[in-house]
Amino acid sequence: MAIEREKGVRVVTVGELLDEGLTIPPYQRSYSWEPATALQLFDDIRNAFRAENAAPNALPDAEQAQEPSYVLGAVILHRENEDVQTHVVDGQQRLLTLTMLLDLLDEASGFPTEVLPIQHEAQAAPVVRVHTELARRVRHMEEPIQAFADFIRNHCEIIRVETDDADEAFRVFDSQNYRGKPLLPHDLLKAYHLREMSGESDAMREALVEVWQNVPDAELDRLFSTYLWRIKRWARGLSAPKFAARHIDSFKGLTPKSASTPAARYHLAAQTAVPMLAAWAEHPDETDRMVSRTRFQIDAPVVAGRSFFEMATFMLGELRRLRHEGFDEQYEDEGREKAWGNFASTDDDFRELPSRARYRYVSELYLASLLYYTNRFGDADIRESRHRLFMWAYHLRTTYQRLQLATVNNYASSLGDNQSAFVVLRSAETPTELRRLRVEARGRDDNPKHEQDLLCLLDGLAR
């Protein structure tokens, strides 16, 4: 079955939905709304409440209560035939916020209410911050508090979508949240790969998602948008437009059902076998990084489900290590030792440095090429290759007065003779073939002082 035409989609009031005793699956993300988002929900409902009560032809209260008047979007629910519990697939942030708000309103109006168990949470936790801000708004309300609570329970509607098919639940998964802000592509990937983990235990799903949820959105967005997506495109000589929801098929990976071709079956079998073969290594600790590089080849499709989350965790760690290793060198300028790190646009934690913003695109280009190189060849000839990739990427900064992303995109995806590090690396069978890459150190004739320090470093590497 899937969504029933008669019962699968229906409109219910907030009160009716909260009275169902819905459950949040353990693998779902923890509460993460910022106070501003929760307060916007509060203000939207409050404005609707004011508008209804200010209507010139408002009906008497008894008649008015019969017509719910404000829709708060949809929630997607999943319940297996044999399962007595109904799980929230999408909409939990909204439902938890409404529950907090109603508890605060009941408490303020003297209604007996259960105290939310947030006293054990850290003060910086989103749920504590939202609870604090909502409590402040409730204290300063001018409207009748109990009437406002009744309006939320009885006058606000939610579209309730229920299915007994997990696949269907995630297919219906809304690409818009309550405020109409599109979910980031990595959010959609998370939902897709959770669906592919139906054979895993709840404990396993919860553990993997907890690791994922502890990574800031900006870091996940950077991993896929700035690095993995661009590498996949540039290595094929293709332009890399801004990574968007329509591009997530590139990271959906393989499933036993979808692996119908010899190539797909090869990748599925290889990625399954690599961890087992690594267990026989003499020095397993020393091979962990190489095993993961072997298992998670950027050029190859990942296995859907658990492997996707493990791949993302590994690649995040790789980027952090390469950010440190890739700039951990010195060069000599007029008898003084200077650091490569002076030309990185971020610190080791990827915090942007405003004073080095002009190096952003070439820093990203360099790290992307270094990630691709080590993913293919590990640490073989790493120092020579690092120097060559640095020269290739940073040459753009000494050549152009103003560097645009479009220029970087064209440069990195060029199919011209050995002009793109990504194209060269994709066809290379040995690390020494990177020497075919065209590199040069060239300043600007019209502005000899342009990037003199960087040009000094590039000149030194070229010798």
Side-chain angles (χ1 to χ4, degrees):
M1 291 181 65
I3 299 174
E4 294 183 31
R5 185 180 297 272
E6 297 295 326
K7 301 179 182 178
V9 181
R10 55 193 174 92
V11 177
V12 296
T13 65
V14 168
E16 289 171 339
L17 189 61
L18 294 181
D19 284 345
E20 289 188 37
L22 304 174
T23 61
I24 307 296
Y27 57 81
Q28 281 280 30
R29 70 188 301 175
S30 57
Y31 188 85
S32 61
W33 266 16
E34 290 293 321
T37 308
L39 292 177
Q40 185 64 66
L41 173 61
F42 175 90
D43 288 338
D44 287 351
I45 298 173
R46 192 178 182 187
N47 289 336
F49 175 72
R50 288 172 173 172
E52 179 150 321
N53 283 276
N57 299 318
L59 297 171
D61 287 347
E63 297 178 36
Q64 196 172 335
Q66 296 174 5
E67 281 295 329
S69 60
Y70 192 61
V71 179
L72 295 175
V75 297
I76 300 171
L77 309 175
H78 170 237
R79 180 169 59 84
E80 299 286 357
N81 287 330
E82 67 276 7
D83 197 346
V84 296
Q85 294 181 320
T86 304
H87 301 296
V88 179
V89 173
D90 185 40
Q92 64 152 322
Q93 306 285 326
R94 205 176 333 140
L95 295 179
L96 291 173
T97 303
L98 289 168
T99 300
M100 273 194 284
L101 176 57
L102 287 169
D103 282 349
L104 287 166
L105 291 168
D106 288 345
E107 188 177 12
S109 63
F111 244 55
T113 184
E114 182 181 353
V115 178
L116 287 170
I118 65 170
Q119 61 269 28
H120 302 301
E121 296 277 356
Q123 290 302 302
V127 66
V128 175
R129 294 165 55 216
V130 166
H131 188 273
T132 300
E133 291 302 319
L134 287 175
R136 183 178 293 115
R137 284 292 183 93
V138 168
R139 285 197 301 271
H140 292 92
M141 278 185 62
E142 297 175 356
E143 296 82 4
I145 289 178
Q146 190 54 54
F148 185 53
D150 290 341
F151 176 80
I152 295 174
R153 284 190 172 93
N154 305 312
H155 285 230
C156 292
E157 295 176 327
I158 289 180
I159 301 169
R160 184 188 186 282
V161 181
E162 181 183 330
T163 175
D164 58 4
D165 184 335
D167 285 353
E168 183 77 3
F170 281 104
R171 279 196 295 272
V172 179
F173 183 78
D174 200 355
S175 63
Q176 302 282 325
N177 65 17
Y178 164 71
R179 295 299 309 156
K181 177 183 176 183
L183 294 173
L184 291 169
H186 66 259
D187 288 321
L188 300 177
L189 283 170
K190 171 198 165 188
Y192 172 83
H193 286 283
L194 281 176
R195 173 167 63 89
E196 296 300 330
M197 289 176 62
S198 57
E200 301 280 358
S201 67
D202 281 350
M204 175 56 71
R205 288 196 280 187
E206 183 178 3
L208 289 172
V209 172
E210 183 177 0
V211 172
W212 179 279
Q213 291 305 135
N214 286 335
V215 180
D217 272 339
E219 197 166 339
L220 288 167
D221 184 47
R222 178 172 59 241
L223 172 66
F224 288 98
S225 301
T226 303
Y227 293 100
L228 299 183
W229 166 244
R230 290 179 181 175
I231 293 171
K232 279 179 173 288
R233 298 285 294 183
W234 288 341
R236 289 163 173 77
L238 300 172
S239 175
K242 180 178 174 59
F243 186 54
R246 65 182 181 276
H247 301 132
I248 66 172
D249 283 356
S250 295
F251 298 100
K252 284 188 174 180
L254 300 171
T255 66
K257 290 182 181 178
S258 70
S260 57
T261 66
R265 289 172 180 168
Y266 167 81
H267 288 300
L268 191 64
Q271 291 187 41
T272 302
V274 167
M276 293 187 290
L277 294 174
W280 293 91
E282 290 186 25
H283 306 288
D285 292 340
E286 297 176 10
T287 62
D288 279 351
R289 192 175 181 185
M290 185 62 76
V291 167
S292 293
R293 285 168 170 167
T294 304
R295 183 182 174 198
F296 304 123
Q297 282 287 290
I298 296 175
D299 281 335
V302 71
V303 176
R306 175 178 173 180
S307 288
F308 168 81
F309 292 101
E310 293 172 339
M311 179 277 293
T313 299
F314 168 70
M315 289 296 179
L316 286 167
E318 273 290 88
L319 270 179
R320 295 188 196 103
R321 285 190 289 265
L322 291 175
R323 166 58 188 84
H324 173 72
E325 295 170 3
F327 290 99
D328 188 27
E329 291 209 37
Q330 304 288 323
Y331 73 101
E332 188 172 304
D333 181 16
E334 297 180 351
R336 292 180 298 170
E337 289 287 319
K338 295 185 178 180
W340 280 30
N342 292 332
F343 305 107
S345 65
T346 67
D347 62 14
D348 273 352
D349 294 319
F350 283 95
R351 288 188 291 261
E352 295 289 341
L353 303 172
S355 63
R356 301 181 198 161
R358 67 188 185 278
Y359 298 122
R360 176 187 171 187
Y361 293 140
V362 289
S363 290
E364 293 172 350
L365 185 63
Y366 168 56
L367 284 179
S369 64
L370 190 57
L371 176 62
Y372 192 39
Y373 177 88
T374 55
N375 187 250
R376 284 186 61 79
F377 299 114
D379 295 328
D381 297 330
I382 187 62
R383 191 167 187 272
E384 177 188 344
S385 300
R386 191 161 55 216
H387 289 190
R388 185 166 290 272
L389 293 172
F390 187 94
M391 286 185 64
W392 174 78
Y394 275 81
H395 150 72
L396 287 178
R397 185 61 275 174
T398 62
T399 301
Y400 291 92
Q401 191 76 32
R402 295 183 63 187
L403 186 60
Q404 305 288 331
L405 181 56
T407 303
V408 174
N409 201 8
N410 291 334
Y411 182 64
S413 61
S414 172
L415 288 173
D417 187 29
N418 298 324
Q419 290 182 358
S420 167
F422 300 95
V423 174
V424 170
L425 286 170
R426 185 166 189 258
S427 62
E429 295 183 1
T430 64
T432 56
E433 291 184 53
L434 185 62
R435 294 171 186 167
R436 294 191 283 110
L437 181 66
R438 288 172 52 184
V439 295
E440 57 185 325
R442 189 177 72 214
R444 293 182 60 85
D445 294 335
D446 62 338
N447 185 3
K449 294 185 178 180
H450 175 66
E451 295 292 347
Q452 282 184 314
D453 289 344
L454 177 57
L455 194 57
C456 173
L457 169 55
L458 298 183
D459 284 335
L461 294 177
R463 288 196 290 269

